[in-house]
Amino acid sequence: MADIPAVIAVPVAELEGLVVQDTVEQNVTPWTVEGAEVNGVKQAINYDRLIEQFGTRRIDEEMLERFTRVTGHAPHLLLRRGIFFSHRDLGAILDRHEQGKPFYLYTGRGPSRGHMHIGHMLPFLFCKWLQDVFDVPLVVQLTDDEKFLYKPDLKAEQTYEYSLATVREIAAIGFKPEKTFIFSDMGYMGGAFYLNVLKISRSITYSMARSSFGYTDSDHIGKIHFPCIQIAPAFSSTFPSIFGNRTDIPCLIPCGIDQDPYFRLTRDVAKPLKFKKPSLIHSQFLPALQGGTTKMSSSIDSSAIFMDDSPNTIKNKINKHAFSGGPTSLEELREFGSNPDVDIPYKYMTYFVDDDQEIADLAVSYRKGEITSGEMKKRCIEVLQDFIGSFQERERAITDDDVKNFMNPDYPRPFACLAKK
């Protein structure tokens, strides 16, 4: 019979003053992003905890130094400021670049009604820079099928139309069809793509899928099968017009950390299927206007700055909704200063202002109480109006033919030579 542990009595007097914390853990999945809750107070996303939970590696100074040495380029602001903060096997991609061996970039977007918001821009801005640095192909998956499966109020025809509109937005970032293939799952599925989906689906048990994504008995089979479709573009033979039947070309996937469960599963099935494991580089979330406890949401207009917002709308949203790290009175400001670490206008500028000195000066002046929250908001408004205004000009220049070229798998792309070993 096992020993029964003794019950230790603790005098009530020793419990007095002890703070018992009621904690709800943070929840980060491909569908939900919520910070922890401690004693009823929402907390910011803990990225150190995600690294530990997901088993990824932090992008440290040593990795940044190697990146610079191998590529000859200083890290992008999203890298050097730790916004892309975590990775899986980024070193393997740098190895291939040093050795003159090919790889490609893969990212994606779940198309939705209306325009993307500025948070959606991050992986595409970063992919454009990576593509320029490495001179590699990019494939962009538009998961209109997933949108249909997860949104019962939508028709399949609607989600496909969302994809066509999304191509325009991605093209307006500055990509060229010669180096970039953008595909709708509904439009491209078949042939080599579907063959790989079948191979993947036979390699993933329901137990594996449930463990990775938390499926329940009430989830329909379309949801459970979908990960196979998101996994397939991570394998080069899915794109025979670019890579032929080659299975030895890996990819680098820039994505939000919430997408990591898909690609952990991808890496698990790659070796049995004799494919190369993908490498990943993960970004933090652009916080909602209301603060860092959750990310921007397309379904909550007041939480986000959209790429079709007018200058006046941007101004009103920042002034009305953006959480401030400043105190409530001018006297407190002069005495205590403000906190840029929680100030949303300042946070947004760290994503979109390339000048490190300006960002550093703003933080120092804010902490000292030398600038007000209104002045911080004013500068943020200027930055976002300029970024979004320039984007809107480029988007207006995108034609229907441009959209067709990006989505044409047989459009002439010089990287087709990679199909030959």
Side-chain angles (χ1 to χ4, degrees):
M1 180 177 178
D3 292 335
I4 299 176
V7 176
I8 301 175
V10 179
V12 172
E14 293 184 20
L15 294 175
E16 292 182 359
L18 179 65
V19 177
V20 179
Q21 290 191 335
D22 180 17
T23 302
V24 177
E25 291 291 328
Q26 68 181 8
N27 184 25
V28 175
T29 73
W31 309 283
T32 303
V33 175
E34 294 176 339
E37 188 174 306
V38 179
N39 293 332
V41 179
K42 281 285 190 181
Q43 309 294 307
I45 302 298
N46 185 333
Y47 292 101
D48 290 333
R49 175 76 183 98
L50 288 177
I51 287 175
E52 177 185 340
Q53 178 184 347
F54 289 176
T56 66
R57 299 188 65 180
R58 180 171 291 283
I59 298 174
D60 55 19
E61 284 301 318
E62 183 179 350
M63 179 61 76
L64 293 179
E65 288 171 5
R66 185 177 179 218
F67 188 98
T68 301
R69 188 170 63 253
V70 169
T71 66
H73 291 263
H76 190 276
L77 73 88
L78 296 175
L79 264 180
R80 65 179 186 265
R81 292 183 188 155
I83 295 165
F84 274 88
F85 71 104
S86 163
H87 74 98
R88 294 184 186 276
D89 283 346
L90 178 57
I93 291 296
L94 296 179
D95 290 343
R96 291 187 71 87
H97 185 66
E98 280 187 307
Q99 297 161 7
K101 294 180 179 179
F103 69 93
Y104 65 103
L105 297 168
Y106 162 37
T107 196
R109 163 89 180 111
S112 59
R113 182 173 49 213
H115 274 64
M116 292 191 279
H117 58 59
I118 57 175
H120 295 139
M121 289 284 106
L122 299 181
F124 294 111
L125 292 171
F126 191 51
C127 274
K128 180 64 174 69
W129 181 79
L130 288 172
Q131 188 181 56
D132 291 343
V133 167
F134 290 109
D135 192 27
V136 292
L138 166 67
V139 297
V140 181
Q141 180 182 45
L142 302 179
T143 54
D144 40 16
D145 51 346
E146 180 193 33
K147 188 68 64 172
F148 171 71
L149 292 170
Y150 276 82
K151 300 289 184 181
D153 57 320
L154 291 177
K155 296 179 180 178
E157 294 79 7
Q158 287 176 287
T159 62
Y160 181 70
E161 288 299 318
Y162 296 167
S163 283
L164 298 180
T166 300
V167 176
R168 292 180 178 276
E169 293 184 84
I170 296 171
I173 293 169
F175 294 107
K176 302 298 181 185
E178 292 81 6
K179 295 185 177 183
T180 307
F181 175 42
I182 307 174
F183 62 97
S184 144
D185 283 344
M186 288 184 178
Y188 184 59
M189 178 71 73
F193 186 2
Y194 187 55
L195 178 59
N196 278 346
V197 168
L198 288 177
K199 292 177 181 178
I200 294 160
S201 65
R202 202 167 71 172
S203 302
I204 298 173
T205 66
Y206 176 64
S207 175
M208 293 167 66
R210 183 176 57 193
S211 175
S212 296
F213 301 104
Y215 295 130
T216 67
D217 290 344
S218 63
D219 285 313
H220 59 70
I221 198 67
K223 289 183 179 181
I224 297 164
H225 181 256
F226 174 75
C228 304
I229 299 171
Q230 185 158 324
I231 288 170
F235 303 136
S236 57
S237 59
T238 297
F239 306 102
S241 62
I242 302 175
F243 305 114
N245 294 322
R246 291 187 66 172
T247 60
D248 63 333
I249 302 178
C251 67
L252 173 62
I253 307 173
C255 63
I257 187 70
D258 56 330
Q259 297 298 303
D260 189 71
Y262 283 109
F263 301 115
R264 289 201 302 272
L265 198 55
T266 305
R267 288 166 59 87
D268 287 342
V269 303
K271 187 174 180 179
L273 292 173
K274 296 181 172 54
F275 293 138
K276 287 285 188 180
K277 285 185 178 182
S279 297
L280 286 92
I281 184 166
H282 307 108
S283 73
Q284 297 182 6
F285 308 113
L286 190 76
L289 282 161
Q290 289 74 17
T293 62
T294 188
K295 66 177 182 176
M296 279 191 179
S297 171
S298 293
S299 59
I300 305 174
D301 184 77
S302 63
S303 79
I305 303 292
F306 292 92
M307 296 307 294
D308 63 340
D309 280 348
S310 69
N312 196 51
T313 298
I314 295 167
K315 178 180 178 181
N316 289 339
K317 283 184 175 180
I318 294 294
N319 284 330
K320 183 177 181 179
H321 299 296
F323 184 83
S324 171
T328 55
S329 71
L330 193 59
E331 292 76 16
E332 290 178 329
L333 172 68
R334 300 311 180 203
E335 183 176 357
F336 303 112
S338 300
N339 183 5
D341 296 335
V342 298
D343 190 89
I344 289 301
Y346 174 79
K347 281 280 190 185
Y348 287 175
M349 285 190 282
T350 66
Y351 287 74
F352 294 101
V353 174
D354 190 61
D355 188 337
D356 291 336
Q357 190 61 56
E358 179 181 359
I359 292 298
D361 290 347
L362 284 170
V364 169
S365 298
Y366 206 45
R367 292 187 196 279
K368 289 181 177 179
E370 295 174 350
I371 61 175
T372 66
S373 61
E375 290 169 328
M376 186 71 82
K377 287 182 177 181
K378 181 175 182 294
R379 178 62 182 131
C380 177
I381 289 166
E382 292 170 349
V383 168
L384 294 181
Q385 286 175 336
D386 181 64
F387 173 72
I388 292 173
S390 297
F391 169 86
Q392 290 171 355
E393 286 184 17
R394 294 193 302 271
E395 187 186 18
R396 285 192 290 269
I398 302 300
T399 67
D400 290 344
D401 283 342
D402 292 328
V403 172
K404 291 176 183 177
N405 290 339
F406 276 105
M407 300 186 77
N408 180 0
D410 297 315
Y411 187 84
R413 294 181 171 94
F415 297 110
C417 64
L418 296 176
K420 300 175 182 178
K421 292 189 178 181

